[in-house]
Amino acid sequence: MKQQLLDIQQKTLERIPAITDLKELDNIRVEVLGKKGELTAILKGMGKLSQEERPIIGKVANEVKEAIEEAIAKKKTAIEKEVLDEKLKSQTIDITLDEETKLPGHAHPLYRTISELVDIFTSMGFAVSEGPEIEWAKYNFDYLNVPSNHPSRDEGDTFYFNEDVLLRTQTSTVQVRTMQNKKPPIKVISPGKVYRFDEIDATHSPLFHQLEGLVVDKNITMADLKGTLDYMAKRLLGSETKTVFRPHQFYFTEPSAEMDATCFVCKGKGCRTCKGTGYIELLGCGMVHPNVLRQCGIDPDEYSGFAFGMGLDRLTMFKYGITDLRLLFSGDSEFLSQF
Ligand code: DAH
């Protein structure tokens, strides 16, 4: 009987290494150790043994059982590990992008307009200076000579954090910051975002972009203003572009004007873009008001200056034939990939 047991052990242990799946392994377990298994059958026959033989054979039987169980358990762990490794290998997610799907990316149309303007103005000796979008109310209004009862100060028009702090409604705030920090000669432009309480539609947005300009020096006149802005328009929109200055009113400039440029779509003939007028309005401008100079620590008897502020969103829409302002801010990559 002992030999029978040892034979079962040897035979079983020889079969196990070749097993590759858990089902087969379990079949062996059932065949040998199961209720109707080979080993179980022998153990059942132990009742027939003599008193002396019984413990000896019992011990051998237990050893055989343990050896087989251990071999099966080891093999089971090995197979399970193999299955898991295989799964991990086949289910790996490739997080790298292949060459073809890499998008090259390019400047947003608005920023193309800004960099074109920065090129034009820096070639004329202007420096670029940016100001904060969260601004002191006094820089947005008081220092710019805006009367205390002016409707643009209203909470329905301007985003206030509190009485003193707001989202700037115009880049003209940078004029104040520049003059307070620097003595003339001053020659700066400042592009950036501005905010006003507007409902969003195809032509309005509570966020839009402006580019501000400021020149302060001795003997600066309206001729400097006109020459500079006319040159800018010709470089931006084409050398045949003509400019027209219409009188206007701003609190921080005196005299003030708005400048129109020949429509670059129809070249002045009249079209949908310019609503048949042949011109499009480009910017507001004027000679810096003496009060503004004085409030910013510059003597208006010694110095004079001109300033201008142009909207960049409508200009960009015209330039690229974009019909809905919202597209500029949507981050829609399909729209942007056209440019
Ligand atoms: N800040 C004005 C606006 O938002 C634009 C402007 C007009 C700026 C005249 C100027 C200026 O610097 O001189 O409508």
Side-chain angles (χ1 to χ4, degrees):
M1 194 176 249
K2 183 177 171 187
Q3 193 53 47
Q4 264 180 305
L5 287 168
L6 293 177
D7 284 349
I8 291 176
Q9 173 172 346
Q10 194 191 353
K11 198 177 70 189
T12 312
L13 294 188
E14 273 170 10
R15 282 175 69 193
I16 290 175
I19 306 288
T20 53
D21 83 39
L22 291 172
K23 192 103 199 277
E24 256 181 276
L25 190 66
D26 200 52
N27 287 343
I28 291 187
R29 187 188 59 80
V30 174
E31 257 174 57
V32 183
L33 307 174
K35 267 188 194 162
K36 292 179 182 160
E38 282 175 75
L39 189 72
T40 321
I42 291 176
L43 294 178
K44 275 181 189 159
M46 272 179 53
K48 295 181 195 134
L49 295 176
S50 67
Q51 287 280 3
E52 302 86 61
E53 269 181 317
R54 212 177 288 161
I56 301 165
I57 298 295
K59 188 166 169 267
V60 175
N62 265 336
E63 283 168 1
V64 168
K65 190 173 171 233
E66 273 168 27
I68 293 173
E69 277 173 345
E70 194 189 310
I72 289 179
K74 261 199 194 147
K75 186 69 187 174
K76 190 173 174 224
T77 314
I79 294 174
E80 280 170 349
K81 183 174 178 301
E82 231 168 82
V83 170
L84 183 66
D85 283 351
E86 201 52 45
K87 227 185 192 171
L88 286 176
K89 243 189 254 164
S90 65
Q91 295 184 351
T92 320
I93 299 164
D94 183 1
I95 56 163
T96 57
L97 274 177
D98 61 46
E99 282 300 316
E100 266 124 272
T101 54
K102 243 185 237 165
L103 299 169
H106 58 73
H108 188 282
L110 252 172
Y111 281 83
R112 273 212 234 166
T113 304
I114 292 177
S115 54
E116 257 180 82
L117 285 164
V118 166
D119 281 351
I120 294 170
F121 280 109
T122 51
S123 79
M124 290 191 267
F126 281 76
V128 180
S129 158
E130 285 177 315
E133 290 164 30
I134 297 172
E135 185 56 281
W136 297 111
K138 60 186 180 193
Y139 286 8
N140 198 89
F141 298 122
D142 303 60
Y143 282 102
L144 288 168
N145 207 31
V146 178
S148 52
N149 59 353
H150 194 264
S152 67
R153 291 180 180 253
D154 202 272
E155 278 180 30
D157 286 299
T158 298
F159 295 103
Y160 284 90
F161 292 94
N162 57 45
E163 224 176 90
D164 302 319
V165 182
L166 45 69
L167 283 175
R168 67 177 178 188
T169 65
Q170 48 188 356
T171 44
S172 305
T173 51
V174 185
Q175 291 188 31
V176 179
R177 288 183 170 271
T178 306
M179 287 188 275
Q180 285 191 342
N181 290 312
K182 193 179 173 318
K183 291 291 140 227
I186 291 169
K187 216 172 167 184
V188 289
I189 54 162
S190 184
K193 294 185 176 71
V194 299
Y195 303 84
R196 289 181 201 175
F197 213 101
D198 247 333
E199 293 297 330
I200 305 175
D201 63 27
T203 53
H204 296 87
S205 162
L207 170 152
F208 54 103
H209 297 74
Q210 289 186 333
L211 183 136
E212 191 79 13
L214 174 70
V215 174
V216 183
D217 204 347
K218 288 184 173 148
N219 305 316
I220 296 293
T221 69
M222 195 84 184
D224 296 304
L225 177 158
K226 288 179 104 173
T228 304
L229 296 179
D230 183 78
Y231 173 77
M232 177 275 295
K234 287 183 162 59
R235 286 239 344 232
L236 182 71
L237 307 173
S239 54
E240 67 289 0
T241 303
K242 291 197 185 81
T243 54
V244 176
F245 290 82
R246 287 179 287 102
H248 203 78
Q249 192 264 335
F250 297 106
Y251 288 103
F252 30 91
T253 43
E254 181 60 35
S256 304
E258 278 188 330
M259 184 183 90
D260 301 338
T262 330
C263 174
F264 47 86
V265 176
C266 63
K267 309 287 177 212
K269 287 191 200 80
C271 69
R272 262 178 44 207
T273 300
C274 60
K275 300 206 176 85
T277 63
Y279 282 91
I280 51 163
E281 181 195 315
L282 262 198
L283 51 84
C285 58
M287 300 306 293
V288 182
H289 197 291
N291 286 351
V292 175
L293 289 173
R294 204 174 294 118
Q295 276 164 175
C296 294
I298 293 174
D299 180 357
D301 292 328
E302 196 178 350
Y303 293 102
S304 56
F306 72 81
F308 59 92
M310 60 195 290
L312 303 177
D313 310 84
R314 233 164 39 99
L315 175 66
T316 304
M317 287 169 72
F318 287 155
K319 269 181 82 118
Y320 295 100
I322 298 164
T323 50
D324 193 324
L325 176 62
R326 289 168 288 199
L327 285 167
L328 284 180
F329 310 132
S330 66
D332 180 341
S333 58
E334 213 158 297
F335 161 74
L336 291 170
S337 66
Q338 302 173 74
F339 301 100

